[in-house]
Amino acid sequence: MNKLTIKGKIYLSMTCLLMVMESLISATYTYHLAQILVSAQEYNADKTLEMVIKTIALLVGIFLVRVFVSICRMKYLSDGEIKIKIGIMRGILKKTTREFREKPEAYYINLLTNDIDMYRGDFLSPLPFVFSSASAFLFSAIALHMLNPWLMLTGLFLAFLPLGINKLFVKLEAESKKRYSKEAEKHMATMKETLEGFAAIRYDNNADVFLKRNMEAVKKKRYAQSYYAFIADISSETFYSFASLSNIIGLGVGAALVLKGILNPLLMIAAQSYLVSLSNHVSNIGAYVTRILSTKEISQKLEAEMTEEEQKVLSHSKEDIHLIEYKNVSFGFNDRMLYKRFNCQLKEKGCYVIVGESGSGKSTLVKLLLKQYENYEGNIYIGEKDIRELTEQEICSYISFVN
């Protein structure tokens, strides 16, 4: 819920409320269907016509509610996806260059594509359906109690049987999603490397090598995706198989009540529908909760990269910037020294060119100014301020850099 805007939360609430309304109307619709047959059995034409009209009205009501559910649900899902994408992008842009480079670019691309798709499909999407299934379950239980308390007790007992396996599928689905995310990131990195190195691959005749690597990455991603889909399917099928078994047993109990003359045979149509609703909706709740809980790690991964705060625009007067100075700067990589007690002043309104051989440290000089390296000796000043006292964001508010 924290990953939604106020508008998104309103749409989610409306979706849940409309789904509860749909469940109530559907339960009433089922009861009226059975009442049409009971009225006909009693040769009561007026009541039969009345039940037919009411049933048609309820059917129209179900259709209209489902239209509004679809609209509200799509708006809720869009809001959730847009907010988390903006939050992640804002978090990425607030990182320092060094923090950003701690992870490969493929990590961020995968985060904004595959991981968000899983979050949207397996976390945001099932949430309203949990409320819908819970309300449908409640209304079906009430309706069964009105028909016969024994039917309700039988339905409740059988409906909750499959929930014991829920924990196992949560673990299996969580592992499969984590594996898929990891392989998707590797595949993204391989594609990026191949496309960026297109010219070198062509000139060096290395196409076969890169093609082989790409195919291996594609296969691993596809296998991980197939395993993830397989576990999700098996989870759903297991719940629904238990639901079917419950329906058969419930039908047997209802038939026994009919044989004893306790229940009208025609009302058994409604009873069977409610029994199916009980077991199916408990199975649905189990499947939806499994999807939500198994996405917990992906959700936490996305949340860790998000930031809710807008970046503050730093203001400063141009008079502050009259000089950039390197003072006794020493820096190098490993045993190779690029600068030793280097001194230089870049004055305001001046135009300067840094000239040198490849690898002599031209770009490094600028990167030091941008705080991309901090293990140097000496001081670097922007105006009167030592860059060690400035954040990277503050430095970027003073300097524009085109690479």
Side-chain angles (χ1 to χ4, degrees), residues 85-99:
K85 280 186 175 178
I86 291 174
I88 289 172
M89 190 58 71
R90 186 182 290 133
I92 291 171
L93 294 175
K94 285 189 72 174
K95 291 177 181 287
T96 64
T97 305
R98 188 172 63 256
E99 289 172 339

Side-chain angles (χ1 to χ4, degrees), residues 350-370:
C351 182
Y352 302 89
V353 178
I354 304 173
V355 181
E357 297 178 355
S358 178
S360 61
K362 302 184 297 299
S363 299
T364 305
L365 200 62
V366 179
K367 289 178 180 178
L368 284 170
L369 180 62
L370 296 173

Side-chain angles (χ1 to χ4, degrees), residues 323-362:
L323 183 71
I324 293 175
E325 182 178 9
Y326 294 80
K327 192 171 183 179
N328 297 323
V329 174
S330 299
F331 179 75
F333 296 103
N334 299 324
D335 296 331
R336 184 183 172 220
M337 208 68 176
L338 290 176
Y339 321 111
K340 188 172 183 179
R341 300 186 66 80
F342 172 76
N343 290 279
C344 177
Q345 289 187 343
L346 307 175
K347 296 182 179 179
E348 186 180 12
K349 297 182 181 180
C351 182
Y352 302 89
V353 178
I354 304 173
V355 181
E357 297 178 355
S358 178
S360 61
K362 302 184 297 299

Side-chain angles (χ1 to χ4, degrees), residues 95-114:
K95 291 177 181 287
T96 64
T97 305
R98 188 172 63 256
E99 289 172 339
F100 177 78
R101 289 178 176 170
E102 286 176 356
K103 295 170 182 173
E105 291 180 17
Y107 166 84
Y108 297 108
I109 297 171
N110 185 61
L111 194 75
L112 290 163
T113 53
N114 294 308

